[in-house]
Amino acid sequence: MTASPTSGGVRPLLRIHDIHTYYGHIHALQGISLDVYAGEIVTLLGANGAGKTTTLRTISGLIHPSAGKIEFDGADVTHVDAHMLVRHGLGHAPEGRRIFGRMTVRENLQMGAYTRHAGAELDADFERVYELFPRLRERRSQAGGTLSGGEQQMLAIGRALMTQPKVLLLDEPSMGLSPILVEQIFGVIESINKQGTTILLVEQNALMALGVAQRGYVLQTGRIVQSGPAQDLLNDPEVQKAYLGG
């Protein structure tokens, strides 16, 4: 893992500044600010209901904030719709996987590439996904709804990779998986990052998340309450008590 370029005037690839998001009258995000630099894995930790998924949905354009600013690759994308952000390089593997159960594995991956034209580059991306997840190659003609939970998670990540993201948003990729599959998924996350994709990771398994990330933020009831290098958060008594069973 490389150190994040958080000094020296380097501009973040993704910047969220003072974002406020509502669900009806519920003030879900209350002034969230965070930066993600090119090449990083940054993790967002917090208890259930803290606002982690809402943060990713706001970044990806599925929800628009009532106040604040989101910058992606130097452009203001605060009110840009989700399908346009996909075209600009923002991929999202959502919580709960959300695959198309009646479509085959390959068709699900094709849906990730719906904005792109067929060709050698697209074929190379299919191959990249199959190399990262050999099980998907074996299951490519199988309906997505018949896959195991781990295979569906692989498919959700693979589909997001087919968008050729500059930044990949991952929402709870280890949820409901066995320890062996969790290790496998996190190994793939590191591989994706080493191949050049920047990642913002929401994850219930704080130990695994901080083990692969360079930096982290802790979210509590819609506010960032702690942030810093992943190793510092890993050693922080409050983080250990709240998220690591310390």
Side-chain angles (χ1 to χ4, degrees):
M1 296 183 296
T2 57
S4 59
T6 54
S7 61
V10 177
R11 183 178 66 192
L13 182 55
L14 177 66
R15 166 164 281 176
I16 297 91
H17 179 67
D18 197 23
I19 286 295
H20 293 259
T21 299
Y22 286 81
Y23 285 119
H25 296 295
I26 299 173
H27 196 177
L29 300 183
Q30 304 174 32
I32 296 294
S33 296
L34 61 85
D35 293 334
V36 181
Y37 291 83
E40 284 192 303
I41 300 176
V42 173
T43 189
L44 184 60
L45 306 176
N48 289 338
K52 305 185 302 297
T53 291
T54 301
T55 300
L56 294 195
R57 286 172 59 83
T58 302
I59 292 169
S60 65
L62 295 170
I63 308 170
H64 293 310
S66 61
K69 186 176 183 180
I70 302 171
E71 295 181 17
F72 176 51
D73 203 15
D76 184 345
V77 298
T78 311
H79 297 289
V80 175
D81 290 335
H83 69 282
M84 293 302 299
L85 288 173
V86 170
R87 292 177 184 270
H88 290 299
L90 193 66
H92 188 181
E95 182 184 22
R97 296 143 195 172
R98 307 289 180 88
I99 65 165
F100 299 100
R102 295 185 179 182
M103 292 184 175
T104 66
V105 166
R106 185 172 177 84
E107 288 168 342
N108 269 273
L109 294 176
Q110 286 174 324
M111 289 301 293
Y114 77 96
T115 62
R116 301 167 56 196
H117 299 293
E121 188 179 70
L122 193 57
D123 291 339
D125 285 334
F126 274 112
E127 190 59 31
R128 177 195 183 196
V129 171
Y130 291 148
E131 287 179 1
L132 286 167
F133 300 110
R135 188 68 61 84
L136 296 184
R137 188 194 301 275
E138 298 171 10
R139 302 282 194 266
R140 61 186 179 276
S141 298
Q142 189 170 322
T146 66
L147 301 179
S148 69
E151 291 166 347
Q152 289 187 14
Q153 186 60 68
M154 296 172 192
L155 183 54
I157 296 173
R159 183 180 59 189
L161 287 175
M162 292 298 293
T163 69
Q164 288 192 322
K166 297 174 184 174
V167 174
L168 177 60
L169 308 179
L170 294 177
D171 196 351
E172 303 283 13
S174 80
M175 182 179 288
L177 302 186
S178 68
I180 292 175
L181 279 174
V182 170
E183 291 276 358
Q184 183 179 347
I185 289 293
F186 272 87
V188 170
I189 289 170
E190 287 190 289
S191 294
I192 292 168
N193 179 246
K194 289 174 182 176
Q195 291 174 2
T197 303
T198 302
I199 295 172
L200 178 57
L201 170 66
V202 161
E203 177 51 51
Q204 61 180 345
N205 190 327
L207 184 62
M208 294 294 292
L210 291 171
V212 299
Q214 285 82 33
R215 294 186 301 113
Y217 294 84
V218 179
L219 192 59
Q220 184 176 311
T221 58
R223 298 177 183 272
I224 299 291
V225 294
Q226 280 179 280
S227 65
Q231 192 62 47
D232 290 356
L233 292 176
L234 200 56
N235 295 328
D236 185 278
E238 291 298 317
V239 173
Q240 290 180 353
K241 181 180 178 181
Y243 306 108
L244 302 175

